[in-house]
Amino acid sequence: MEDESDQENTIEDDYYTFLNIPRNASPEDISNAYRRQSKLYHPDKHTDPTLKKEAEILFNRTKKAYEVLSDPHQRAIYDSLGIRGLETEGWEIVQRTKTPQEIREEYERLAREREERRLQQRTNPKGTVTVNINATDLFSKYDEDYSDNSGFFSCIEVSGMSFAQSIEAPLTLRDTITMSGQLGTQNGTGSGSINVSAKRLISSKGWVEVEVGAGNGPTFSLKGFRTLTKRLFCDGATILQFTSHGMKAGYVGTLAMQLDKHTVGYLTYRAGIQDAMSTMVVRDTSRSYTAISIHFGLIHSFISLNYTYKMEEKQLRLRSSVKAGTFGAFLEYGVEKKVSQHSSVSAAVRVGVPTGVTLKIRLSRASQAYTFPIHLCDEILPAPVFYATVVPIVTWTVIKKLIIDPVVKERKEREKEKQKEMYKSRILEKQREAKAAIELMKETVSRIRAEEESKKGLIITKALYGRFVYPQQDRSNLEESGHRDEMIDVTIPLQCLVKDSKLILHKASKVLDTLIVFDSIF
């Protein structure tokens, strides 16, 4: 069975084949082919209403092929990417001097941006749900002291939950209103807040944002961002928080610098509500992500290292991080797997002092995220570390084999059937157009035959196109693949291509095996 991509390529219009010119045709060759084919299919040359309608279709296709191939920029896009490249939005901003490789990279970038815009439209509002689970009784080393053995689920309790949601409302191209809120509870104590912000894009180099909120007292903040140079940019925020004890003021400022193509350095200073200073260096490449951070504060100071290895071909990411400071230290390792175009699942194990062992499961669907931190043990013991590592792997393997793989396989089968039907429909449409083209050529071919006979030139008496099927071949396989087993008479089209007693056929798409048999009279 053919690949879906192969089928799409075989039924896509080939402008070079349609005009019968080579792929390296000169502008003059393209113009001559356009004039010759325009005369053949011009609607004004046909009085029959049915033929006139078919002529309009083929004449428009001729014009479209000429418009693309006569424009060097569009032709370069078409040669590199086909018709799908011409249909991509944003080409009007692309330099016309780009090489084919640069054009392909530009196409991929534009396609990503278009997909991100579509994704953002589909996934607003954005939100997160976090469910904290306490399962420390499962691995308590004092189990023998408990006489109540009421079962597995009695050892698991939900110790906290939190919800966060935001909605963006674009007012103009420069102004956006964002409404967000969060609600959380931990061990019977709850808190929440609601915020409304207005953001205005000042220019391509900066923006400002005003935010007001209510929760643990009213808050007001003014934020801004500015690009200083090609490699240097900064942002800052002034925050006013009103509580029962009075007003508190705070300031946060960050200065960032692009160190090289993949590396950015950050320097952040906080004053007022939380006095601290931190610096971070982030390196992000196609294969890995690395971040090193050093933080000095009045309450906490720490140093951290995060590393992610990207396996894009397997849609897999391996993550690890180490953090140590005045609060203690922890080691975290985990994996993230993309299960569909907009969905992913991840699992991470955190082993630390004094926090113990925690397993964090995260499910993401577009911009919606569901996180389940499961606290397994207050101490670092081998059993919870082992089970936190092995159980997610085994669970994922079972779910993948029993649920995900069958669903994906069924979806692919449906897509193949859909592509097959589209392919057959396209072939039938092409056959209809070919028959109409032959009818339109009959008057022209009579004139060409007369000219060739007068000078004893080239006259094609019989030409066949198609696939021979021998008795021993399985016809059912050919029918399933969409191939025809009959031969098509293409004598008239080939005679129309005769010029000065010569027939020149350029290389076409290999949809079917071709056999052309003709007799000539000189």
Side-chain angles (χ1 to χ4, degrees):
M1 183 176 293
E2 291 185 45
D3 245 357
E4 294 171 17
S5 58
D6 291 339
Q7 286 191 0
E8 288 179 1
N9 290 336
T10 56
I11 63 177
E12 186 178 81
D13 287 339
D14 188 331
Y15 292 151
Y16 291 101
T17 302
F18 184 72
L19 295 178
N20 191 42
I21 55 176
R23 299 192 72 85
N24 61 350
S26 65
E28 184 180 359
D29 294 334
I30 297 172
S31 297
N32 291 336
Y34 170 67
R35 284 194 295 268
R36 181 180 66 250
Q37 204 134 306
S38 295
K39 293 178 181 178
L40 189 63
Y41 296 136
H42 201 288
D44 294 344
K45 296 186 63 176
H46 305 279
T47 56
D48 184 277
T50 303
L51 292 179
K52 190 177 185 70
K53 185 176 180 180
E54 298 293 346
E56 288 178 355
I57 296 174
L58 294 171
F59 183 70
N60 289 333
R61 284 184 59 193
T62 302
K63 287 202 302 182
K64 181 62 178 177
Y66 175 70
E67 288 172 0
V68 172
L69 299 184
S70 62
D71 186 319
H73 181 56
Q74 291 194 62
R75 184 178 180 181
I77 297 171
Y78 175 75
D79 289 346
S80 299
L81 305 164
I83 293 177
R84 63 190 174 94
L86 296 170
E87 294 173 348
T88 302
E89 299 174 359
W91 284 115
E92 63 275 3
I93 63 173
V94 180
Q95 296 179 8
R96 294 175 176 268
T97 57
K98 286 184 176 291
T99 64
Q101 178 62 28
E102 291 172 330
I103 288 175
R104 180 171 290 277
E105 293 173 355
E106 193 71 19
Y107 166 77
E108 293 172 354
R109 182 187 68 80
L110 291 170
R112 286 195 302 268
E113 291 181 354
R114 182 176 58 178
E115 186 60 34
E116 288 172 1
R117 289 195 298 270
R118 290 178 178 175
L119 179 62
Q120 187 173 4
Q121 293 172 356
R122 287 195 299 263
T123 58
N124 278 336
K126 303 174 184 178
T128 60
V129 177
T130 303
V131 180
N132 298 93
I133 299 174
N134 188 345
T136 54
D137 287 347
L138 290 174
F139 300 97
S140 173
K141 62 182 180 180
Y142 302 108
D143 280 340
E144 64 272 11
D145 297 336
Y146 292 93
S147 58
D148 183 12
N149 296 321
S150 54
F152 174 81
F153 291 103
S154 64
C155 300
I156 300 175
E157 66 174 3
V158 176
S159 58
M161 295 183 69
S162 64
F163 305 86
Q165 198 77 19
S166 66
I167 298 175
E168 291 185 358
L171 301 180
T172 67
L173 293 176
R174 291 177 173 269
D175 301 301
T176 304
I177 297 292
T178 302
M179 293 173 285
S180 61
Q182 68 89 22
L183 181 65
T185 177
Q186 185 71 29
N187 295 324
T189 303
S191 63
S193 65
I194 184 170
N195 300 78
V196 178
S197 65
K199 182 178 179 180
R200 181 174 180 79
L201 185 65
I202 303 289
S203 66
S204 60
K205 294 185 177 182
W207 51 261
V208 293
E209 182 180 65
V210 177
E211 183 178 55
V212 293
N216 188 20
T219 59
F220 173 84
S221 64
L222 177 64
K223 304 175 183 179
F225 171 86
R226 177 71 179 179
T227 300
L228 303 177
T229 66
K230 185 177 180 180
R231 301 176 61 186
L232 195 66
F233 52 94
C234 67
D235 62 50
T238 300
I239 305 168
L240 297 178
Q241 184 177 11
F242 299 89
T243 67
S244 58
H245 302 289
M247 184 186 73
K248 294 182 180 180
Y251 172 79
V252 180
T254 299
L255 182 66
M257 184 175 183
Q258 189 83 37
L259 303 178
D260 60 32
K261 183 180 180 180
H262 302 288
T263 309
V264 181
Y266 300 89
L267 180 63
T268 302
Y269 176 73
R270 298 174 179 268
I273 298 176
Q274 291 182 348
D275 293 323
M277 178 176 287
S278 63
T279 182
M280 181 169 62
V281 177
V282 177
R283 181 171 179 80
D284 192 1
T285 68
S286 60
R287 301 298 297 178
S288 65
Y289 171 89
T290 307
I292 302 174
S293 177
I294 301 176
H295 179 91
F296 296 100
L298 295 178
I299 301 177
H300 290 301
S301 296
F302 62 84
I303 181 172
S304 67
L305 170 63
N306 298 275
Y307 178 78
T308 300
Y309 180 67
K310 304 175 184 178
M311 304 171 67
E312 300 298 343
E313 63 280 358
K314 296 182 179 181
Q315 298 184 324
L316 193 70
R317 295 189 176 192
L318 304 179
R319 303 179 184 275
S320 63
S321 65
V322 179
K323 191 173 183 179
T326 55
F327 60 87
F330 70 80
L331 166 67
E332 184 173 305
Y333 56 90
V335 62
E336 178 182 347
K337 171 66 176 177
K338 189 175 181 181
V339 295
S340 68
Q341 186 175 4
H342 302 300
S343 301
S344 64
V345 60
S346 65
V349 179
R350 176 176 291 191
V351 181
V353 178
T355 55
V357 182
T358 302
L359 170 64
K360 184 168 67 175
I361 307 294
R362 182 182 176 91
L363 307 175
S364 299
R365 170 63 183 172
S367 293
Q368 303 291 323
Y370 305 88
T371 307
F372 302 90
I374 306 173
H375 190 197
L376 299 177
C377 189
D378 293 324
E379 303 175 68
I380 302 178
L381 299 176
V385 174
F386 173 79
Y387 284 108
T389 304
V390 174
V391 170
I393 297 175
V394 174
T395 303
W396 166 254
T397 303
V398 173
I399 292 176
K400 185 175 184 297
K401 292 293 184 183
L402 298 182
I403 300 176
I404 296 178
D405 285 351
V407 171
V408 172
K409 183 179 180 180
E410 183 181 355
R411 186 174 68 244
K412 286 183 177 180
E413 290 297 329
R414 288 199 305 266
E415 287 296 324
K416 286 182 180 179
E417 290 298 323
K418 184 179 178 181
Q419 289 291 335
K420 188 187 298 183
E421 291 300 321
M422 291 176 61
Y423 179 80
K424 290 181 179 178
S425 175
R426 184 67 169 158
I427 288 295
L428 291 175
E429 181 185 347
K430 289 292 185 183
Q431 289 178 358
R432 184 187 61 79
E433 289 183 358
K435 291 177 180 178
I438 290 175
E439 291 297 323
L440 296 172
M441 292 176 184
K442 285 184 177 179
E443 293 185 10
T444 303
V445 80
S446 299
R447 178 179 54 80
I448 295 176
R449 279 180 182 273
E451 291 177 357
E452 292 297 321
E453 286 178 354
S454 65
K455 58 183 178 183
K456 298 186 181 298
L458 175 61
I459 298 177
I460 299 175
T461 59
K462 190 69 173 178
L464 300 175
Y465 173 86
R467 177 189 289 271
F468 278 121
V469 179
Y470 298 97
Q472 64 271 25
Q473 287 186 267
D474 187 354
R475 290 176 177 270
S476 61
N477 291 337
L478 291 173
E479 291 175 358
E480 287 181 2
S481 64
H483 292 317
R484 303 184 305 274
D485 59 355
E486 73 272 11
M487 307 300 292
I488 299 175
D489 191 329
V490 292
T491 307
I492 292 177
L494 290 182
Q495 187 67 64
C496 278
L497 295 177
V498 173
K499 185 178 181 181
D500 298 330
S501 301
K502 293 180 181 179
L503 173 64
I504 300 176
L505 293 177
H506 297 286
K507 185 178 180 180
S509 300
K510 295 182 179 179
V511 182
L512 301 171
D513 295 338
T514 304
L515 175 67
I516 299 176
V517 182
F518 63 88
D519 299 325
S520 58
I521 302 175
F522 293 95

